[in-house]
């Protein structure tokens, strides 16, 4: 049971817009952890609209702090292994981010 999902959604959405990249990174990790802890796929899919913002955070963090960027990617990998279908609305951007990461290694 997820208590008042809309409050969590608002909190995460606002935190992803914060001017401090550390706040956005912490939000990404917290959101990924939160979503992987939910057993109700329908509830998790309500957060699908935030996935593009998560990818934006990963891009920003990888450009400034490789260690934090790697940790952010690990959070997204865990989320993907639990709920891969959450990416269906932004699959193009996901592929682009993955391609850029591979190109920069």
């Amino acid at each position: 049971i997820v208590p008042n999902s809309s409050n969590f959604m608002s909190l995460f959405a606002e935190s992803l817009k914060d001017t401090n990249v550390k706040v956005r990174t912490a939000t990404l990790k917290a959101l990924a952890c939160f979503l992987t802890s939910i057993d109700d796929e329908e509830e998790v899919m309500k957060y699908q609209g935030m996935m593009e913002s998560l990818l934006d955070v990963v891009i920003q963090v990888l450009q400034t702090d490789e260690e934090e960027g790697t940790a952010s990617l690990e959070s997204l990998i865990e989320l993907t292994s639990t709920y891969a279908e959450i990416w269906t609305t932004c699959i193009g951007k996901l592929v682009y981010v993955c391609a850029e990461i591979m190109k920069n290694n």
Side-chain angles (χ1 to χ4, degrees):
I1 297 175
V2 179
N4 205 341
S5 178
S6 64
N7 287 342
F8 285 118
M9 200 174 299
S10 296
L11 175 67
F12 286 127
E14 286 304 310
S15 296
L16 285 171
K17 295 176 191 172
D18 196 280
T19 57
N20 187 327
V21 71
K22 290 183 180 194
V23 171
R24 291 192 309 270
T25 304
T27 302
L28 176 151
K29 293 175 185 176
L31 179 57
C33 184
F34 173 70
L35 293 176
T36 56
S37 72
I38 299 172
D39 291 330
D40 182 357
E41 183 176 332
E42 188 176 315
E43 189 64 35
V44 171
M45 296 309 282
K46 291 178 183 178
Y47 290 82
Q48 195 171 30
M50 293 184 184
M51 295 305 104
E52 196 160 334
S53 295
L54 292 185
L55 292 173
D56 290 338
V57 171
V58 167
I59 292 167
Q60 294 164 351
V61 174
L62 281 170
Q63 292 171 345
T64 59
D65 185 337
E66 188 175 338
E67 189 174 310
E68 276 299 311
T70 301
S72 297
L73 282 173
E74 289 170 357
S75 294
L76 294 186
I77 289 167
E78 186 176 333
L79 175 60
T80 303
S81 25
T82 307
Y83 293 109
E85 55 282 341
I86 200 159
W87 300 105
T88 55
T89 59
C90 60
I91 194 77
K93 188 167 191 170
L94 178 63
V95 170
Y96 168 78
V97 170
C98 291
E100 287 298 305
I101 292 167
M102 289 187 291
K103 185 168 67 174
N104 288 331
N105 276 340

